[in-house]
Amino acid sequence: MTDLKEGVCLAGFWFNHEHCCWKSNTTFTDRDKCPEWKSWSQLILGHGEGAFAYILNYLMYVIWALMFSLLAVLLVKGFAPYACGSGIPEIKTILSGFIIRGYLGKWTLVIKTITLVLAVSSGLSLGKEGPLVHVACCCGNILCHLFTKYRKNEAKRREVLSAAAAAGVSVAFGAPIGGVLFSLEEVSYYFPLKTLWRSFFAALVAAFTLRSINPFGNSRLVLFYVEFHMPWHLLELVPFILLGIFGGLWGAFFIRSNIAWCRRRKTTRLGKYPVLEVLVVTAITAVLAFPNEYTRMSTSELISELFNDCGILDSSKLCEYVNDFNSTKGDDLPDRAAGPGVYTAMWQLALALIMKVFITIFTFGMKVPSGLFIPSMAVGAIAGRLLGVAVEQLAFYHHDWAIFSGWCSPGADCITPGLYAMVGAAACLGGVTRMTVSLVVIMFELTGGLEYIVPLMAAAMTSKWVADAIGREGIYDAHIRLNGYPFLEAKEEFSHKTRAMDVMRPRKSDPALTVITQDTMSVEDVESIVSSTTYSGYPVVVSRASQRLVGFVLRRDLIISIENARKKQDGIVSTSIICFTDYCPPLPPSSPSVLKLRSILDLSPFTVTDETPMEIVVDIFRKLGLRQCLVTHNGKLLGIITKKDVLKHIAQMANQDPESILFN
C-alpha cells in the first residue's frame, strides 16, 4: 500500500514495486523500470516523462496519502479511540497495576491492526513497532478471558501481558531475545524468573511463526540484514561516541518539543479537531516528501539503504563512487573518491534529516497509531551515513595523517559508512527511549551485525548519559506524566524517613473514612454510600465503634451483586440487611430476607501498620502493582493509602507542589 502512492502493479495491485518486478526479464540496470509496474502518469497519460507527468505523480502521491490517513483517523475516532498513539506508555501503566478498561479490548485490536497499515502507508513519519506491542498485548488480554486462572487473577494476567509485549517486539523487529529484554527493561513493572522464560517462549513462537510466513520474501527473519566485510578500528570509537552525543541531544530535544506540542494539543482548541490535524500534517509531510527520493520512499526502505554497504552491483546514488577496478579485491571495494551521485545524495539526505527531525515532533501523539522506533532510527541512520561518508572521504584524501596512517593504507577498505548509519540509528533510538541493553540486542538481531556490539554499546550509553543530563525522563515516561496516569517509576529510589501514618487518608482535618459494617447496614444504606462517593472500593469493619478490619469490597462488585439480587432473589428490598459473614445475626420473623455478600469480600486485603516506613510502602506498591493499601494499628482500621497518595507524597518530598500532580 505504501507503493500505491507512486503507481500500481498490472500483474496484481496488491504487489509492491519490488515484488511486482521479480518476474520481469529486464536487465539489472533497468530493474526499476519493469513493464509490469506503471506510475500514475504512465497509467493515465501513457508516458512518464515531462513536467505534466511529474505534477500528476506529485498530485496522486498527496491524494493517496490523504486518503489513507483520513480513513485511519476516522476509524480510530469512530470505533476505538484507544487505538491511537504508540500504546507503550499505557501498557507500562497497566502492568504497574492500573486498569484502563477497554484499552486491551477486541475493538481496539481490530481497529489498531487496520489503521496501523493505513497510517504507515500514508507516508507519515511514524513506525509500526510500538503499536505492534499494543496489538500483541490486546491478543494476550483477549486470550486471558478464555481461561479462569487468568481471567480472575490480575497478577497472572500481567505476566501474560509481559510475555505478549516480548512477542510484539519479536514480531516487529524479528528480534526474539531483544523482545524479552525490552519487556524486562522498558515495559514490565515486576519480572520474576517464571515470567522470563514464558516471555522467551512467547517470543520464540512469534519469531518461528514470522519466519514460516516469510513476510519480506527473502527467507530472513531480520528487517535490515547487513553484511559488512571489514572490522571496525579502535580510533573509530571517536565518531561513534560523537553519534552517541548527537543521539542524546536529539532525544532530549525531541522529548521536550513533542511533550510541549502534546500539552498544547490537550489544553487548547487544537485537541477538538483531530481529523483536521492529521490531514494537515499528512499534507505537509507528503508535499515536502515527494521531491526528495529519500523521504518519498518508506522509512524502512530508507533505513535499509542507509545501512547497506556498497558493492560492485549497487546502483544507488549513495554508491556512485569513482571506481578503479584494478584495485578491487574480490567482493571488497577499497575506499574511493565520491562521485557526483554521492554528493547529490548527501545534500538530499541533509534535507531529509531536517524534515524528519521536525515533522516527527508533530506526528507522534496524533489520533492515529504511531510508533517512534523507525522514525528515530531514520534520523540517526541519516546522521550516521553523512558522518560515515565524511570520515571515509577524509581517510581517502588524507590517508597520510597520523590518525589514519597506522591502519588505513591507500587502496584499502577502511571505513564502512553503513556501520556509522547503524550506530547512529541505535544512538538516536537510545536518546529517545533511554533503552540500553535491550536496544543493543535488538540492533544486532535486527541487522545480523554481531561483531559490532562494542560500537553499539558505546553509542547507546553515550546517548543515554547525554540525554539524562538534559532531562531524566524517556519519551514513554514523559507521556505517562502528561496523560496523568498513576505510575510509580520502578527505577528511582525512595530514601526519605516518613511513615505510613504521614501519608494515609483521612488526615486529622478530613472527614472520617467511609466504611461498611459487616452485618448491620441495609441495602439502602450501602447504595447511598456508593452513590455519594466515587471510591473504587470500601473497607468492611466489624462495627463503627470497634473499627476492627474484616476485609475490602470493590465498588463494582457491590453494584453488580445488589442489582442481580434485586432481580433474581425473592424478598430483597431496600431495608434488607447486607451480611458479609458466614453466620448472620438472627432477625425478627417479619424482617425482609438477608443479602449475603461474603463471596465478593476480599478477606485478605493488603495492610501495613501505621509505623511502617514509607520506603517499604513504596516498594510494596511497585513490586505488587497495588492500587490501595489499608493502614491498621493492632487490627483497628486507621486509614487507606492509594497509589495517587504515594505519588503526591513523592512529589512533596522532591519539593514539588503535590497538587500539581494531575490524574486522568
Side-chain angles (χ1 to χ4, degrees), residues 5 35 56 77-78 90 209 216 299 414 632 658:
K5 301 197 297 295
L56 181 63
K77 187 183 177 187
E90 287 77 11
T209 308
F216 308 116
T299 316
C414 310
T632 62

Side-chain angles (χ1 to χ4, degrees), residues 516-533:
I516 296 174
T517 56
Q518 66 176 2
D519 55 16
T520 58
M521 295 182 79
S522 65
V523 170
E524 187 178 20
D525 295 335
V526 172
E527 285 180 329
S528 174
I529 288 174
V530 169
S531 61
S532 62
T533 60

Side-chain angles (χ1 to χ4, degrees), residues 282-409:
T282 306
I284 293 170
T285 305
V287 168
L288 293 175
F290 186 83
N292 189 338
E293 65 177 280
Y294 292 110
T295 49
R296 189 191 316 162
M297 66 174 68
S298 75
T299 316
S300 295
E301 280 180 59
L302 171 62
I303 295 170
S304 187
E305 186 157 330
L306 292 169
F307 283 3
N308 184 40
D309 186 24
C310 289
I312 297 172
L313 297 176
D314 276 313
S315 60
S316 166
K317 274 188 194 175
L318 285 168
C319 297
E320 282 189 24
Y321 289 89
V322 178
N323 286 312
D324 179 11
F325 290 108
N326 294 326
S327 61
T328 303
K329 301 171 186 175
D331 289 334
D332 292 344
L333 289 172
D335 287 346
R336 299 157 288 165
V342 174
Y343 288 115
T344 305
M346 288 301 100
W347 71 257
Q348 284 184 326
L349 282 175
L351 291 175
L353 177 64
I354 295 167
M355 179 197 157
K356 291 280 184 188
V357 162
F358 288 102
I359 207 74
T360 309
I361 292 168
F362 302 101
T363 306
F364 187 69
M366 291 196 307
K367 296 298 178 188
V368 290
S370 53
L372 194 57
F373 281 38
I374 290 295
S376 300
M377 287 175 66
V379 168
I382 294 171
R385 188 78 187 207
L386 290 171
L387 182 63
V389 172
V391 173
E392 181 189 44
Q393 294 305 299
L394 200 65
F396 176 77
Y397 286 110
H398 303 284
H399 52 78
D400 53 340
W401 283 9
I403 55 171
F404 298 120
S405 59
W407 58 283
C408 191
S409 56

